[in-house]
Amino acid sequence: MVKPKKATAGSAVTDLILELFQVNNRLLTAGDRLVAELRLTSARWQVLGAIVATERPQPVAWLARDMGANRQNVQRIVNDLEQEGLVAFLPNPHHRRAQLVDLSERGRIVYDRALKLQGPWAESVANGLTSKDIETARNVLKVLRSNLETQAEDE
């Protein structure tokens, strides 16, 4: 008779990561649907959010770093947003080629409309969870992200 293996933190985190992949795919699909009427996608909305989160206009490379994303992908999205009139490029006094990205007035309006759609949606997704449950999950994810960042720095 084969004894079942004792669950380890490594096997538990593997199961968690597999679940996160599925959740991420569903989040992206749900986000795309939620903001489709605003001519946004989840990726565009995420970049707009990163721009809003900065204290002042930033170069694309800094936005990508803060998002944990690939610079080239963020650049492509920022270029699309600029074509749509949602962001504007500003001169960077510290670097001629790395322009700064700022939200346009139209971008602010679209972003604010997306947030109004997101509020009720987030409440429905949180159904059955307590604030404590959500905070615990957030803390676990923060530690996982920190561990991954540390590993990347060590490489």
Side-chain angles (χ1 to χ4, degrees), residues 20-82:
L20 282 171
F21 288 155
Q22 292 183 22
V23 169
N24 183 59
N25 289 334
R26 284 171 175 78
L27 277 173
L28 293 174
T29 300
D32 287 347
R33 278 193 217 119
L34 189 66
V35 295
E37 70 183 60
L38 304 174
R39 297 189 51 180
L40 290 177
T41 62
S42 292
R44 288 179 174 198
W45 187 16
Q46 184 181 12
V47 171
L48 288 176
I51 295 166
V52 168
T54 64
E55 292 180 16
R56 59 186 165 280
Q58 304 283 337
V60 167
W62 293 14
L63 293 170
R65 179 201 61 213
D66 292 346
M67 294 172 63
N70 178 286
R71 186 198 60 77
Q72 291 86 350
N73 289 342
V74 175
Q75 183 69 63
R76 181 186 52 77
I77 293 167
V78 167
N79 290 345
D80 291 345
L81 292 170
E82 194 266 341

Side-chain angles (χ1 to χ4, degrees), residues 73-129:
N73 289 342
V74 175
Q75 183 69 63
R76 181 186 52 77
I77 293 167
V78 167
N79 290 345
D80 291 345
L81 292 170
E82 194 266 341
Q83 292 272 323
E84 297 280 330
L86 301 177
V87 301
F89 291 114
L90 305 174
N92 184 344
H94 305 290
H95 195 285
R96 279 191 317 228
R97 291 182 52 205
Q99 293 178 304
L100 303 176
V101 182
D102 197 12
L103 205 60
S104 69
E105 183 59 33
R106 181 168 179 255
R108 170 66 63 189
I109 291 167
V110 169
Y111 184 77
D112 288 346
R113 287 180 62 203
L115 288 184
K116 285 181 183 166
L117 295 171
Q118 190 266 346
W121 173 86
E123 290 296 328
S124 70
V125 172
N127 188 31
L129 297 169

